[in-house]
Amino acid sequence: MQPRDAGYRVLARKYRPQTFAELIGQEAMVRTLGNAIKRDRIAHAFLLTGVRGVGKTSTARLIAKALNCIGPAGNGGPTIDPCNVCEPCISIAEGRHIDVIEMDAASNTSVDNIREIIEAVRYSAVSARYKVYIVDEVHMLSKNAFNALLKTLEEPPPHVKFIFATTEIDKVPVTVLSRCQRFDLRRIPADLLASHFAYVLEQEHVVSEPDALAMIARAAEGSVRDGLSILDQAVAHADMDSGGKVTADQVQGMLGLSDRGALRRLLTHILDGDGKNALAILGEQHALGVDPAGVVRGLLELVHGITVTKVGTTDDPALPAEERAALAEWAGKLGHGTLHRLWQMLLKGHDEVVKAADPREAADMAVLRAVYAATLPDPGELARRIAEGGVAAPAASPTPASTAPADFGALVARLEAGGRYALAQLLHDNAGLVRYAPPELSLRATKPLPVDFARDLTAALKSFDGMIWQVGLADEPASATLLEQENAARLANEEFVKAQPLVAGLLEAFPSAELTGWTLNRSDAA
């Protein structure tokens, strides 16, 4: 017995467009082809390019049908509306027409494969009006194969038409591009995809939720085939107990998408500066199996949606009404500076999450960084509030006279107190003062100083109070170094002590005695 599903065809094949009217999202191309056929100005070669699943191969087959359709009566000519009932239309749709040759360039890349085409084009079509060669993924042909095709492609026999399809137009030589009429197939908008999926499910007698179809449309990224494949999976995933209804919760779980409501709550906590609840939502999403990078990507989508809503673009009809209302509310509250700062931080965070050894931890840190950045005031708003008196302006920087040390010795003491012992020692022992007029300091080196001495000293002094000093080394008369001054003062005090009568008598009575540990000063002696 034959299995029940032996004849099942996936939705992407079952709902392949059979007429140009069924080809969604490509109105400009259909209009151009229709006018060309009506005016009998049909090109000899067409090049179809676009992302995967937008209908390149389907369009190529439709063009082949349009050129070879003979109508129900058997006497029709080329038409933009093929009848789909004549023998050429039926056989082309089933892929068995002898004069419509489809070739996959990915597996027929050599010049020998192209040589077969060149030899065959000399012969007229067997039963069709035109012999049509459909070459899919034409960019995979080798350089020699392209070169072999050029002459035939430029001047083919009148009964031959070439239709090329590619996803990577940049890899097609310009010599081939210049010989073809090029059509760029557009990505299908998400709202149009959702409408198409609703039609497909209606034909399949499957009930669905609009939000579920919107999720699938966004996940398809403009590709009809990708979307129909996901839709097929969603129908199979639907719970039989609920009548096979395709729900948003099921699609979300199937695709591992983050809940849009949870994302909006997460962004709310970020904007409120609530790191605790933001991390809690991240944890919930992680427990549900949502990729941390997907959560950050969802936040980026929300910030982008708020920004484009703020500049007045049309609402995305594929978004739920609740989310459109939330975006509009945020757009009215948040400034451009806040949004752009948040975008940059999340974008950097997404890159970190993708590369991190533990994506969960990286996502936590990225969200917390955004939490604390979101609470910072917008620079423009802060300036406005200061101008209006709502915020006190920061106090003016103190003048150098009020912050600079009183003299050179106090400056050295400040360096030592600040932990800059090496600089303090060099100034104390090896530098004589030429001029001290803060923030100007001019010195004369009594011994060689390090090459970066002036730069390091300037940086150290600036680190204390923000004052920018001008430190210079001059070959001018200078005072003695602090070390020399201290030594001179010590010697003077020593001589003063030795001159005291009691000390002088002791030294005379004990010639080998030394004067140590004394603390007498001139005032004490007086």
Side-chain angles (χ1 to χ4, degrees), residues 304-326:
H304 173 264
I306 297 169
T307 306
V308 297
T309 301
K310 189 173 183 64
V311 299
T313 58
T314 306
D315 291 341
D316 184 355
L319 292 177
E322 182 182 1
E323 184 160 326
R324 291 201 298 270

Side-chain angles (χ1 to χ4, degrees), residues 507 510 512-516:
L507 290 175
F510 302 97
S512 60
E514 295 182 359
L515 186 64
T516 61

Side-chain angles (χ1 to χ4, degrees), residues 2 46 74 79 93 112 124 153 164 211 252 269 297 301 327 347 350 378:
Q2 188 180 24
F46 301 93
T79 175
D112 293 333
S124 299
L153 185 60
F164 302 133
D211 286 352
Q252 175 190 322
H269 292 316
R297 188 162 54 248
E301 291 176 2
L327 295 180
L347 191 63
H350 181 269
D378 179 79

